[in-house]
Amino acid sequence: GELTLHTPLVLSRSGERELRVVADGDGTLGVYSRGDGESGWTRNAAGMLTDEAPAPDGLTVWPPTGATEVPVAGEYARLSRLGFEHGPLLRGLKAAWRQGDTLYAEVELPQDGTAQGAFALHPALLHAAVLAAGLGTSTDDGQSEGLLPQRYEGLTLNVGQPLTALRVRLAPAGEDALSVTLADPGGTVIGAVDRLVLRPADVARLTELSFESQDALFGLDWAPVTAAADDAYAIVGGTDPVTAALGADRAVYPDLGELAVLCGDIPRSVVVAVDPADPADVIAATERAVRQTLHWTQTWVSDERFADSRLVVVTRDAFPDDQVAHPDPAAAAVWGFVRSAQTENPDRFVLVDLDGEEASLAAVTAAAATGEAQLKIRAGRISTPQLATVSTESGRPAPDAGSPLGSGTVLITGGTGGLGALLARHLVAKHGVRRLLLTGRRGADAPGAAALRTELTEAGAHVDFAACDVTSRESVAGLLAAVSPEHPLSAVVHCAGVLDDGVLTALTQERVDAVLAPKVRGAWHLHELTRDLDLSAFVLFSSVASVLGLAGQANYAAANAFLNGLAQARRAEGLAGQALCWGFWAERSEMSAGLGDKDLERMLRQGVSPMASQEGLALFDAALACAEPELVPVRLNLSSLGELSSPLLRTLAGAVADTDDASQRPGGDGGLAEQLKSMDRSQAEAALLAAVRTQTALVLGHADAARISPGESFKKLGIDSLTALELRKGLSAVTGLKLPATLAYDHPTPAAIAQFLSAAIGPQTAPQPVSPLAHLAKEIEGLGGRLEEAFRSLDRDEQATVSTLLGELQGRVRSLTGAGAPQGVADQISSASAGDLLALLDKELG
């Protein structure tokens, strides 16, 4: 009769017949039956399947025959750009294939999520299985989008033991819907969804529903630090007040080169001080200070004689507080530069900022000995910075006009770029701004400018475009002079900037100057030329690089840290001023257009996640309502911090760190070196090669180290200067070794680095078998001592007996040596005493 299964996919027996519900190759489900003793299967009573054509057995053919592999390496980075964040547990998509309209995927529960708890099928596995549905999806304009499940129909499951991996098939099941087949790693079907309905995600709506500014708006807090005694330091410089005072009772070296030559043992700390700023020419003072810092830091990391020491860079008045009323933007720029140098080169640089107190000056070396990387000293008290959440509840009230930007013209430098245009739309729609002056290098000729003017005009705003070189004071002055007196300037938003990323050793003075110019010169010109205009807002778009010291961005970090210092200085003068140290916006601008998936993965490991545009704009509004002059609006990725993360994140990441048992991480905290001591050389080299391949896969964003060939060059694998830096830091962490900055270039394959590490660590080898000769020599040596002692206790007759026995031993030894024995040995044996004979045997045989 007719057979109906309400719970498909369950293997069962009915009487003497076995029922099996399986998926055919085309994705449809079929019911098969087989009686006892029958060799074939019957499909829905429609005929027999012979042994030559057995019933389909789920997804056992893997990968599916004829399917084309679909790249998945950049999928999580793509979703991050869209505003969808995935923590480590949710990154289970490992591989995918496409066959026509059907997708096949392989998903696996990450190791840190293998505890099933009460789940027969872990939700993270199901999430990863469904996630594959979005591979290759795009909107009408070609932009990839995110898909979210809207409705599940006909979900069935038959899981015995908890699974940590699945094979998945996603086949069309009507409009905007898929059927889902789930199989275990062997291919046996264990579950299905008859119909999964998907809908494109409304990221803006999701952001609106889930956004909390307290999760992404931060400021600097300073925690007290206890001083530590340290007299092991050297002074370089001596002309500035700081090093002149510190060097009063010891030798002062004119530069680092002289120190390396004349000082036999470089002390643990070497102190240099930035030249005092010239308030009459802040731009020149800033450029000079950053160039000076570039020279120091590059010299320090390139000379192996400094490898075990720290360069202590001393500034003055970089941060305002009760002791410092007028902060120095030039000193702040130095902090930004060195913060990136610290990230790239851990435990090589220390930053110390002073006030004018003698007690603070006296505490410099004690501060450097604390082990902290960044410190300020005020009235002799030492503290270190950390990132802390900022409450928006205590913000300053908005002006009577209803907007913190005032009611006049709002100037946006860089306003024709992607981020500037996005902000312009927001100011008109949300803040009611009706007069906009947007600048860029090409002004009204910039791509998209005409369409932007039309859009903003239709929204009720008047828009002027201007081509302006903000690095030129004359150009900025002309721009401001052209503002209509009827609609005077009420707010400035400085967004202009350029990127030229590179690791510390690759930077040149020209590359540094080019990045400093639009930020430093542009902001300072705007500051000076608008000082008397009583602006409602003066907002400087800075970067989180200036605070966290992102690797490869020392020049950019310095430029933006200057903006932070300028905002603080303006507030000290009673002027409007606020620096927003932005994280990474998913909305691409001209500056970020060249960033790829690898760059995004690197940012994630440094603690920075991309922000959706709607979230960034919400943070902008929250920041405007806050009284703090320096804020850090950033979406942090605290669960995936890597070796390049900033010490300023320690407190925020404390809860994550507390649950992360370092002893459970293979090779963590230099533990690999200890493990190697119990291995023989071949085992040690294999373990080191595995560690190198694992770290290489990690910095390249690969889930499987098997993709890293031991003999493949790092260049072909995709290692660049920044990933080479991460690789070196990661290997330093797992081995406990201080490794050279040029590690990946001097040893250009994983196998070559493994050999280098093996030689550097010097793993103990297993004891070699003792040879028969060595064993005999050792036995004779012991016997000789005992025999000689006993011989002296004998009387003359007993000694004569022993001599006779030893004479017989002489003959036996001579016969054993044969004709080839040297004559001198035989003669020595013939004339030897008992003690001499045993000593001679020990010498000749041992």
Side-chain angles (χ1 to χ4, degrees), residues 10-12 18-22 30-34 41 55-57:
V10 178
L11 306 183
S12 63
E18 180 181 356
L19 301 178
R20 179 177 293 182
V21 181
V22 295
V31 179
Y32 292 82
S33 64
R34 182 176 64 180
W41 290 83
D57 194 19

Side-chain angles (χ1 to χ4, degrees), residues 318-320 325 327 563-573 577-579 629-630:
F319 304 96
L563 302 184
N564 306 345
L566 177 57
Q568 300 277 13
R570 283 182 61 90
R571 285 293 188 90
E573 293 182 33
Q578 189 174 52
E630 180 182 349

Side-chain angles (χ1 to χ4, degrees), residues 499-538:
L499 277 173
D500 187 8
D501 289 355
V503 294
L504 175 62
T505 53
L507 293 180
T508 63
Q509 181 175 310
E510 291 72 23
R511 294 179 69 179
V512 171
D513 289 347
V515 172
L516 289 180
K519 294 287 187 183
V520 173
R521 289 176 174 265
W524 189 256
H525 295 329
L526 289 166
H527 159 64
E528 287 197 314
L529 294 171
T530 64
R531 181 177 292 179
D532 299 326
L533 297 184
D534 191 25
L535 298 178
S536 297
F538 190 93

Side-chain angles (χ1 to χ4, degrees), residues 14 99 125 163 165 227 285 319-320 333 345 371 405 430 501 521 575 698 713 809 814:
S14 176
Q99 188 177 49
L125 273 180
L163 295 171
F319 304 96
N345 303 273
L405 301 171
K430 183 69 179 288
D501 289 355
R521 289 176 174 265
L575 302 174
L698 177 65
S713 72
L809 176 62
R814 179 177 296 172

Side-chain angles (χ1 to χ4, degrees), residues 459-748:
H462 175 83
V463 183
D464 289 317
F465 290 94
C468 178
D469 178 8
V470 294
T471 67
S472 165
R473 182 183 177 88
E474 291 74 17
S475 183
V476 175
L479 174 74
L480 298 176
V483 176
S484 170
E486 297 180 2
H487 305 280
L489 196 68
S490 63
V492 170
V493 182
H494 183 42
C495 298
V498 296
L499 277 173
D500 187 8
D501 289 355
V503 294
L504 175 62
T505 53
L507 293 180
T508 63
Q509 181 175 310
E510 291 72 23
R511 294 179 69 179
V512 171
D513 289 347
V515 172
L516 289 180
K519 294 287 187 183
V520 173
R521 289 176 174 265
W524 189 256
H525 295 329
L526 289 166
H527 159 64
E528 287 197 314
L529 294 171
T530 64
R531 181 177 292 179
D532 299 326
L533 297 184
D534 191 25
L535 298 178
S536 297
F538 190 93
V539 183
L540 300 164
F541 268 39
S542 179
S543 168
V544 70
S546 65
V547 178
L548 300 185
L550 301 186
Q553 291 193 317
N555 51 357
Y556 192 61
N560 286 282
F562 175 89
L563 302 184
N564 306 345
L566 177 57
Q568 300 277 13
R570 283 182 61 90
R571 285 293 188 90
E573 293 182 33
L575 302 174
Q578 189 174 52
L580 303 182
C581 307
W582 289 105
F584 180 64
W585 287 62
E587 178 86 13
R588 295 303 178 97
S589 64
E590 288 187 44
M591 286 197 298
S592 63
L595 297 178
D597 291 340
K598 187 165 60 176
D599 301 299
L600 182 55
E601 290 286 348
R602 183 185 302 114
M603 267 187 236
L604 289 170
R605 289 193 295 276
Q606 294 185 76
V608 180
S609 295
M611 296 181 296
S613 299
Q614 291 76 13
E615 183 174 4
L617 295 173
L619 281 170
F620 177 82
D621 295 340
L624 287 184
C626 187
E628 297 296 324
E630 180 182 349
L631 290 168
V632 185
V634 58
R635 177 60 74 191
L636 293 176
N637 181 40
L638 299 176
S639 62
S640 303
L641 293 180
E643 294 301 326
L644 297 185
S645 58
S646 168
L648 273 71
L649 297 177
R650 285 179 303 183
T651 301
L652 291 172
V656 177
D658 289 343
T659 61
D660 181 16
D661 185 355
S663 66
Q664 300 303 313
R665 298 193 303 268
D669 299 321
L672 179 60
E674 286 298 317
Q675 297 173 26
L676 296 177
K677 292 181 179 180
S678 62
M679 302 178 184
D680 61 32
R681 182 164 295 277
S682 62
Q683 291 173 327
E685 290 180 350
L688 285 168
L689 180 58
V692 175
R693 294 176 70 191
T694 297
Q695 290 296 321
T696 304
L698 177 65
V699 301
L700 290 175
H702 298 327
D704 189 358
R707 298 182 59 177
I708 307 301
S709 173
E712 192 82 27
S713 72
F714 286 121
K715 184 176 181 180
K716 288 186 177 179
L717 288 170
I719 293 288
D720 57 17
S721 58
L722 283 173
T723 43
L725 171 71
E726 286 190 272
L727 176 60
R728 189 248 298 179
K729 290 189 68 175
L731 290 173
S732 291
V734 299
T735 63
L737 296 174
K738 284 192 174 182
L739 301 174
T742 56
L743 177 69
Y745 299 97
D746 296 338
H747 311 279

